[in-house]
Amino acid sequence: MLSQMWQVCLAIAHYSQPTDLQLLFAFEYVGEIYHNPAKKVNGIDPGGGGASGQQTPLFETYSDWDREIKRTGASEWRVCSVNEGYMISTCLPEYFVVPSSLADQDLKLYSYSFIGRRMPLWSWNHPNGSALVRMANIKDVLQQRRIDQRICNAITRSHPLRSDVYKSDLDKSLPSIQEIQAAHVKLKQLCVNEPFEETEEKWLSSLENTHWLEYIRSFLKHSAELVYMMECKHVSVVLQEEEGRDLSCLAASLIQVMLDPYFRTIVGFQSLIQKEWVMAGYQFLDRCNHLKRSDKESPLFLMFLDCVWQLLEQYPAAFEFSEIYLAVLYDSARVSLFGTFLFNCPHQRVKESTEFAISKNIQLGDEKGLRFPCVWDWSLQFTNRDRLLFHNPLYIGKSAPCVQNGAVKTFKRSKKNYSSTLRGVPPALKNGIIGEQEFLPRRNSLILKLKPDFLQHTESPTGSMEQYFRDWFAKPVDLHGVILPRVSGTQIKLWKLCYFRWVPEAQINRGGSITAFHKVSLLADEVDMLNRSLRQYKSNSSLHGSCLELDQSRMYFRANSLNDTSGAPDFLSSSFPFSPVGNLCRRSILGTPLSKFLSGAKIWLSTETLANED
């Protein structure tokens, strides 16, 4: 027993403070899989199979990009393979999308003028033809104007209306990565301050002084402004940043979440992260500080998830996934196991894993580097039942099933079916500040300060940005159309499940948002039970088939019977499913036994195990 404890301590020390990328746990884990392909490692199937549902596109191939072009109707854009083998830039994907009017030879020539040789990258196309493009700064001052003009002309020619291009300098418009890191450090200190109660009186002012919520508001507000440019002004937007791989990841992703309902589904959201973060060269290794020695650490990915949570909180029926899913996604980015969030760029994965394979005598064959576990295969971490917590019971799909004369049909919800309580109407927009006396009942506002560079695009007062937001908030919400954030002081909130889940003093037994989640899940499960029973009754199928279907459920919390009025289970708390029985770091709280962490095959504790904790 002593020797085993010693081995555990050595392993923790070894993997918690790695001195080199190849000493991370992921490399040893994958190496063990390649040497023992038929063996389970730590109880986990090395095949990585078992993921149910639609496959998440990884955008590692030409075909994934081509399908995205067709999905968005970007007919004047093409997939470019000029960087195949990373011949042009090591921080770009092998395949990316460019205007059809730009030849490969021109791209090779222009690439020398961009920082990191990061040529302009297409992100998304609006149905009206407007495109969202990301671009690094041009370092060649002498050639800057000429190359910039040629790129903008190519983007203009890709628009069916030949509309103008609007450029947004993110380095000037948004907080820097250093400011975001400083805010996060202050936020962590505030949330783990001991004892927690001592800070209660000045807690809100301390939270304000971190500037974390202020930066959340800045990203949401700026993204909404760019949504206006694409949606209302019908112009293509270019997100310009020094290297084009930090702030533009966040801004481009938020804009697409607001504009495209596909990215508000689980598979769509995962494909968005693959496209705009993983393949676009977001530096996960440095920004997440996996090696514990980077001075480039900055929680941009967490800030993105926080921004999405703000939208989820304001429009709960518009998102297929839950806040539990977002929190688990952030946790997965901090674990040094998944290749998805382990490297600074795809080229680094290929280079480092190939070197590791050679040193360990691993035969790669035709593979480009080792294949690390993909975070999107959630079966590696969670049981089928646990993964049901990822699904939002309030989500309204594009169509809902109904039964008519024994046949299952679908009906589409019209705009008038959506509750107007999900929207707000701003009575006035005055330099981003709205007085309390100006609020209307049940109305909130999107605070937008009109900037001079936007005013030059307005053709008339009715076509201005201000009027656009007034009109948008005055209409009923279309959950499958554009959604815009409400960014007034009361509307931007602290994501308590993410930041308070390890603080026992902040936990509320049988309270918090999970209680509403529980009740809604029971109601949704009852509706599903009724639909299944009705379908089985009308179709006159066998009793065996009926029993099988009635046992199926898409909800984690299930109704025992129709009209189930049972209260919240005793194990529920505001931190469910992460810390229902306390925190190991707190002596005064009964913690989860260490054996639970060491004996299981999973990386995370099963929520079913936690639920049965004494």
Side-chain angles (χ1 to χ4, degrees):
M1 178 65 72
L2 257 163
S3 62
Q4 289 179 338
M5 293 173 62
W6 178 246
Q7 288 177 356
V8 168
C9 291
L10 287 178
I12 292 174
H14 175 73
Y15 292 120
S16 63
Q17 298 292 332
T19 56
D20 184 77
L21 175 60
Q22 294 182 20
L23 294 178
L24 288 171
F25 175 72
F27 281 85
E28 186 166 335
Y29 174 84
V30 173
E32 184 71 18
I33 288 178
Y34 274 85
H35 282 303
N36 302 279
K39 178 184 175 184
K40 288 187 176 182
V41 181
N42 291 338
I44 299 177
D45 185 355
S52 59
Q54 188 179 350
Q55 195 75 16
T56 299
L58 301 181
F59 292 97
E60 294 177 346
T61 62
Y62 183 102
S63 58
D64 281 347
W65 289 103
D66 190 53
R67 278 191 290 269
E68 185 66 5
I69 285 178
K70 292 174 181 176
R71 188 189 72 83
T72 59
S75 57
E76 298 299 320
W77 297 77
R78 66 180 179 89
V79 183
C80 172
S81 57
V82 70
N83 198 42
E84 205 166 21
Y86 306 101
M87 298 299 293
I88 301 296
S89 174
T90 58
C91 56
L92 283 178
E94 290 189 280
Y95 307 99
F96 52 93
V97 178
V98 297
S100 298
S101 58
L102 281 180
D104 285 356
Q105 195 59 37
D106 293 331
L107 291 171
K108 291 179 182 178
L109 184 63
Y110 297 156
S111 68
Y112 291 99
S113 300
F114 289 95
I115 293 177
R117 300 190 71 179
R118 288 180 62 87
M119 294 166 281
L121 301 175
W122 172 90
S123 289
W124 184 77
N125 240 62
H126 194 283
N128 64 27
S130 303
L132 181 64
V133 182
R134 298 168 55 174
M135 189 171 75
N137 287 343
I138 300 173
K139 61 182 179 180
D140 189 342
V141 180
L142 297 177
Q143 298 290 328
Q144 183 174 3
R145 185 171 182 179
R146 182 180 65 87
I147 294 175
D148 191 65
Q149 189 61 47
R150 290 194 178 183
I151 296 295
C152 289
N153 286 342
I155 296 174
T156 297
R157 285 196 293 271
S158 70
H159 197 295
L161 301 177
R162 300 297 188 263
S163 296
D164 293 334
V165 173
Y166 178 79
K167 293 178 69 175
S168 173
D169 190 337
L170 301 183
D171 291 320
K172 295 179 180 177
S173 305
L174 296 170
S176 67
I177 60 173
Q178 293 81 11
E179 290 173 324
I180 294 171
Q181 171 64 6
H184 185 239
V185 169
K186 292 178 182 178
L187 181 65
K188 285 195 297 184
Q189 292 172 345
L190 182 63
C191 291
V192 300
N193 209 356
E194 292 210 44
F196 189 77
E197 294 87 353
E198 285 187 5
T199 63
E200 187 173 353
E201 292 182 1
K202 56 181 180 179
W203 204 88
L204 289 177
S205 60
S206 299
L207 175 62
E208 184 179 4
N209 291 335
T210 66
H211 301 294
W212 182 258
L213 297 185
E214 175 188 334
Y215 295 159
I216 294 286
R217 183 178 293 107
S218 296
F219 277 101
L220 288 170
K221 173 183 171 183
H222 189 70
S223 298
E225 292 172 346
L226 298 179
V227 164
Y228 159 78
M229 296 304 295
M230 297 184 70
E231 173 80 5
C232 185
K233 305 305 291 182
H234 296 189
V235 300
S236 294
V237 169
V238 174
L239 304 176
Q240 191 154 9
E241 184 189 8
E242 184 176 4
E243 293 187 13
R245 56 195 301 195
D246 281 307
L247 302 177
S248 61
C249 295
L250 207 166
S253 300
L254 274 183
I255 290 169
Q256 291 172 76
V257 168
M258 293 179 192
L259 283 169
D260 193 339
Y262 169 67
F263 295 124
R264 302 196 286 268
T265 66
I266 291 178
V267 171
F269 190 71
Q270 293 175 173
S271 72
L272 177 69
I273 293 172
Q274 275 290 142
K275 178 167 63 82
E276 299 298 338
W277 295 79
V278 180
M279 300 311 295
Y282 178 71
Q283 301 171 83
F284 280 102
L285 181 66
D286 291 339
R287 299 296 182 245
C288 294
N289 201 9
H290 287 307
L291 297 181
K292 304 296 186 293
R293 53 184 172 82
S294 173
D295 57 354
K296 301 177 182 178
E297 182 178 3
S298 186
L300 276 168
F301 188 62
L302 171 61
M303 178 153 284
F304 165 63
L305 297 178
D306 200 328
C307 288
V308 173
W309 177 81
Q310 304 289 340
L311 293 170
L312 170 62
E313 185 76 0
Q314 294 177 18
Y315 304 100
F319 291 83
E320 184 183 15
F321 47 83
S322 66
E323 67 169 324
I324 295 173
Y325 168 83
L326 293 175
V328 166
L329 190 53
Y330 170 62
D331 292 342
S332 300
R334 306 294 304 184
V335 178
S336 302
L337 173 62
F338 304 104
T340 315
F341 301 133
L342 200 60
F343 302 98
N344 284 337
C345 58
H347 173 263
Q348 188 183 47
R349 178 189 67 82
V350 174
K351 177 179 177 293
E352 293 287 343
S353 63
T354 301
E355 292 177 358
F356 180 81
I358 293 173
S359 67
K360 299 295 183 180
N361 296 319
I362 298 174
Q363 301 298 319
L364 292 175
D366 295 331
E367 292 185 13
K368 293 181 179 179
L370 298 172
R371 303 301 299 183
F372 291 84
C374 180
V375 74
W376 310 130
D377 186 356
W378 294 108
S379 64
L380 294 177
Q381 300 187 64
F382 302 98
T383 65
N384 290 334
R385 171 116 194 253
D386 289 340
R387 294 201 297 274
L388 294 176
L389 284 171
F390 293 176
H391 294 270
N392 175 14
L394 288 169
Y395 175 64
I396 299 177
K398 279 200 171 182
S399 59
C402 65
V403 179
Q404 193 174 64
N405 297 326
V408 179
K409 298 185 178 182
T410 60
F411 65 92
K412 292 186 177 180
R413 292 171 167 84
S414 61
K415 291 183 180 180
K416 64 182 181 181
N417 293 118
Y418 301 124
S419 171
S420 61
T421 59
L422 294 176
R423 301 294 288 270
V425 178
L429 298 166
K430 297 181 179 179
N431 295 325
I433 300 175
I434 297 183
E436 291 294 328
Q437 70 278 8
E438 295 177 298
F439 281 115
L440 295 177
R442 297 192 305 166
R443 300 300 194 224
N444 300 292
S445 63
L446 173 65
I447 303 175
L448 285 168
K449 182 177 180 179
L450 297 182
K451 300 180 180 179
D453 53 348
F454 279 95
L455 293 176
Q456 64 185 10
H457 289 86
T458 59
E459 300 168 356
S460 66
T462 56
S464 67
M465 185 191 305
E466 179 180 353
Q467 188 62 44
Y468 168 75
F469 288 114
R470 275 208 184 95
D471 293 343
W472 190 90
F473 279 102
K475 299 175 184 176
V477 65
D478 179 2
L479 297 177
H480 307 295
V482 178
I483 60 171
L484 294 175
R486 296 175 290 231
V487 296
S488 66
T490 58
Q491 293 299 326
I492 302 300
K493 306 174 183 178
L494 184 69
W495 186 8
K496 295 178 183 178
L497 179 67
C498 184
Y499 305 124
F500 283 173
R501 51 187 162 151
W502 310 124
V503 183
E505 296 89 341
Q507 291 182 27
I508 307 171
N509 290 330
R510 303 181 73 176
S513 60
I514 190 63
T515 55
F517 185 95
H518 170 256
K519 285 295 184 184
V520 172
S521 296
L522 294 182
L523 287 172
D525 195 48
E526 285 188 33
V527 172
D528 288 347
M529 288 170 61
L530 286 169
N531 281 329
R532 290 195 296 267
S533 300
L534 193 53
R535 284 200 298 271
Q536 293 293 336
Y537 175 78
K538 292 291 185 180
S539 60
N540 295 318
S541 58
S542 66
L543 180 63
H544 176 68
S546 301
C547 293
L548 284 178
E549 188 174 2
L550 287 172
D551 284 341
Q552 297 174 356
S553 177
R554 59 188 178 91
M555 296 296 148
Y556 180 85
F557 298 108
R558 303 176 185 178
N560 297 322
S561 61
L562 295 179
N563 302 316
D564 188 351
T565 58
S566 56
D570 292 336
F571 61 80
L572 281 188
S573 77
S574 56
S575 297
F576 179 87
F578 299 101
S579 183
V581 291
N583 189 318
L584 285 173
C585 301
R586 307 297 178 114
R587 294 182 180 179
S588 59
I589 303 295
L590 177 63
T592 304
L594 187 60
S595 60
K596 295 282 187 180
F597 291 91
L598 302 179
S599 62
K602 298 295 182 183
I603 299 168
W604 306 103
L605 286 175
S606 166
T607 51
E608 295 182 65
T609 302
L610 293 175
N612 297 324
E613 193 70 61
D614 292 330

